[in-house]
Amino acid sequence: MKQLSLFLFVLLHVACKSDKKEIISEKGIPNNVRITHATGFTIEKTANGITLIKITSPWPNAEASFTYALIPKEKLRTIPLEKEKYDAIIPTPVETIVVTSTTHIPALDALGVLDKLIGFPDTKYISSEKANNYVALGKIKDIGINESLNTELTIALQPEVLVGFGVNGQNSTYETLKRSNIPVVYNGDWTEATPLGKAEWIKFFAPFFDKEKEAELIFSKIQTAYNEVKQIASKAKNRPTVLSGAMYKDVWYLPGGNSWAAQFIKDANADYLWKDNLDTGSLSLSWEHVLQKAKDADYWISPAQFISYEDMINTSSHYKEFASFTNKTIYTFANTIGASGGILYYELAPQRPDLVLRDLVYILHPELLPDHDPFFFKLVQ
């Protein structure tokens, strides 16, 4: 259930609507930081050194935005701020941080600041070997679960900032932490609908640690690698058809045609059978509808939590009616796990879309990348 919930959660990618408050720069003309693919945040630098991060997509269908002011610690006494303009003011660089999603961990690691992480909910779901070592050493404390953080322990840790996420903006725990003078900032990386849009959220984390140049270089390399693989895929002579998702209680959940997962299949130069759908999140369909459309699909990518054909049949005999089941062309990321049992894809894939795309091109067009060793996706056993 936990893994399936995470699977469904990954499929939800929708945009937000309006802003809660206007960004007002403090004594200086703002200079926008270049954000080329992500749509859920902006970064502005003022002439006197303040960094303004605006989150425009904190959760699905949000009616609010959030503005955070990051100010160098040495300038705290010299630059007066109108606190009511901002949802949080954070002195930088931060030395201690708490994050709340496994998707945040690879960004910290890539920036070389994973040692600043002191708390995380449900540490058993962390896949990163380095982070797990910190957990074992007691440097990263388990602070409960996202739905109900251990506020007493979190307050005792006194992080300089907590990076959270929300599905509707109603989180009493965050309000308690704010009243205890712990800045809480929202991260909406999971609402992005494109692979490179998700990966670009490394630029969100960078200003907290004065790592903007590093983030720009890291993202540039990922973008280049992704586009190189996409170019290779464009040379394929055929476009195989692709099915995705699986059933839960007789409802088949699969990616919408404008979703993150669907974009991967498109960029791998394959024909996702729901490509004409306009949804950026997930679709909920009957198995009969899916069978009618995808009975003869060449490949089945990401069958939820399943890792074996036996598991699939034991759950539903309907699965065997699909050609991809009969032909054994089903690929899953669910059997690629970290040291503590967490599924690596949920943690690392948003940060490394180039690795995901390379896997898919290898699967869908093996002649184009014959020497590739799959990183996330493996055949269902």
Side-chain angles (χ1 to χ4, degrees):
M1 281 295 295
K2 179 72 175 181
Q3 290 183 346
L4 182 56
S5 297
L6 286 169
F7 170 76
L8 297 177
F9 181 78
V10 169
L11 294 179
L12 295 174
H13 309 294
V14 290
C16 302
K17 297 179 180 179
S18 63
D19 299 340
K20 185 183 76 170
K21 58 178 68 178
E22 179 184 1
I23 292 180
I24 302 176
S25 302
E26 300 285 342
K27 295 183 181 179
I29 299 174
N31 176 30
N32 291 341
V33 173
R34 185 177 64 168
I35 306 295
T36 55
H37 293 273
T39 60
F41 76 104
T42 62
I43 300 177
E44 295 179 354
K45 296 280 189 179
T46 68
N48 58 357
I50 296 174
T51 299
L52 302 176
I53 299 179
K54 186 174 184 179
I55 307 302
T56 56
S57 180
W59 54 77
N61 299 318
E63 297 290 342
S65 67
F66 296 87
T67 303
Y68 308 111
L70 279 57
I71 180 169
K73 290 178 179 177
E74 68 272 13
K75 295 185 177 182
L76 277 175
R77 297 181 181 276
T78 60
I79 302 179
L81 295 178
E82 297 179 46
K83 295 183 178 181
E84 66 275 7
K85 293 179 182 178
Y86 309 106
D87 294 285
I89 297 173
I90 301 98
T92 60
V94 301
E95 293 297 328
T96 56
I97 187 172
V98 167
V99 300
T100 54
S101 170
T102 55
T103 62
H104 303 160
I105 292 176
L108 299 182
D109 194 8
L111 291 171
V113 294
L114 191 57
D115 60 322
K116 311 298 183 185
L117 180 61
I118 60 172
F120 187 85
D122 267 347
T123 55
K124 65 183 178 182
Y125 290 107
I126 294 176
S127 296
S128 163
E129 183 177 352
K130 186 183 296 185
N132 274 312
N133 288 338
Y134 285 144
V135 172
L137 293 171
K139 294 181 178 181
I140 299 176
K141 303 293 185 182
D142 193 311
I143 55 172
I145 58 177
N146 263 318
E147 294 79 5
S148 180
L149 293 181
N150 185 323
T151 54
E152 290 184 1
L153 178 55
T154 306
I155 292 170
L157 289 175
Q158 283 295 298
E160 294 180 27
V161 64
L162 182 144
V163 177
F165 69 89
V167 295
N168 56 18
Q170 303 298 318
N171 192 314
S172 60
T173 299
Y174 289 170
E175 294 305 316
T176 299
L177 296 176
K178 291 177 185 178
R179 289 194 296 270
S180 299
N181 296 318
I182 295 175
V184 175
V185 302
Y186 279 103
N187 177 294
D189 58 0
W190 62 285
T191 68
E192 296 288 341
T194 66
L196 289 175
K198 283 180 177 289
E200 197 165 20
W201 275 78
I202 192 171
K203 295 180 182 179
F204 160 88
F205 284 100
F208 292 95
F209 305 97
D210 293 348
K211 295 282 187 177
E212 289 92 331
K213 291 182 180 179
E214 290 86 343
E216 182 64 40
L217 179 60
I218 290 166
F219 178 72
S220 178
K221 289 181 177 179
I222 291 171
Q223 179 179 237
T224 297
Y226 188 94
N227 288 333
E228 286 176 350
V229 179
K230 182 179 176 181
Q231 179 62 29
I232 292 172
S234 70
K235 299 176 182 178
K237 296 180 180 180
N238 69 305
R239 299 182 73 247
T241 52
V242 177
L243 163 67
S244 189
M247 283 188 291
Y248 176 64
K249 293 184 178 180
D250 296 325
V251 177
W252 196 300
Y253 295 94
L254 67 164
N258 279 335
S259 68
W260 179 61
Q263 186 67 48
F264 274 125
I265 296 170
K266 177 182 178 181
D267 289 347
N269 197 15
D271 182 14
Y272 179 50
L273 292 172
W274 279 266
K275 64 181 181 298
D276 294 329
N277 173 269
L278 300 179
D279 288 280
T280 57
S282 64
L283 305 177
S284 306
L285 305 174
S286 68
W287 80 267
E288 293 93 345
H289 177 89
V290 175
L291 179 66
Q292 182 180 21
K293 194 175 185 71
K295 176 179 173 61
D296 297 319
D298 297 312
Y299 292 90
W300 185 344
I301 303 296
S302 304
Q305 81 279 15
F306 294 113
I307 62 174
S308 74
Y309 290 97
E310 182 181 1
D311 289 342
M312 296 179 73
I313 285 296
N314 288 340
T315 301
S316 175
S317 60
H318 297 313
Y319 289 136
K320 65 182 179 182
E321 299 185 45
F322 292 85
S324 48
F325 186 99
T326 303
N327 297 331
K328 301 296 187 290
T329 55
I330 306 178
Y331 288 80
T332 182
F333 55 70
N335 57 4
T336 303
I337 60 176
S340 61
I343 295 178
L344 185 60
Y345 186 88
Y346 295 131
E347 181 171 311
L348 185 58
Q351 180 64 40
R352 292 300 306 273
D354 55 315
L355 299 179
V356 177
L357 187 60
R358 186 169 288 274
D359 275 4
L360 292 177
V361 173
Y362 169 78
I363 291 167
L364 300 169
H365 308 290
E367 74 282 0
L368 297 180
L369 293 173
D371 299 324
H372 178 63
D373 184 18
F375 189 85
F376 291 113
F377 287 93
K378 312 289 173 58
L379 273 168
V380 168
Q381 300 301 307

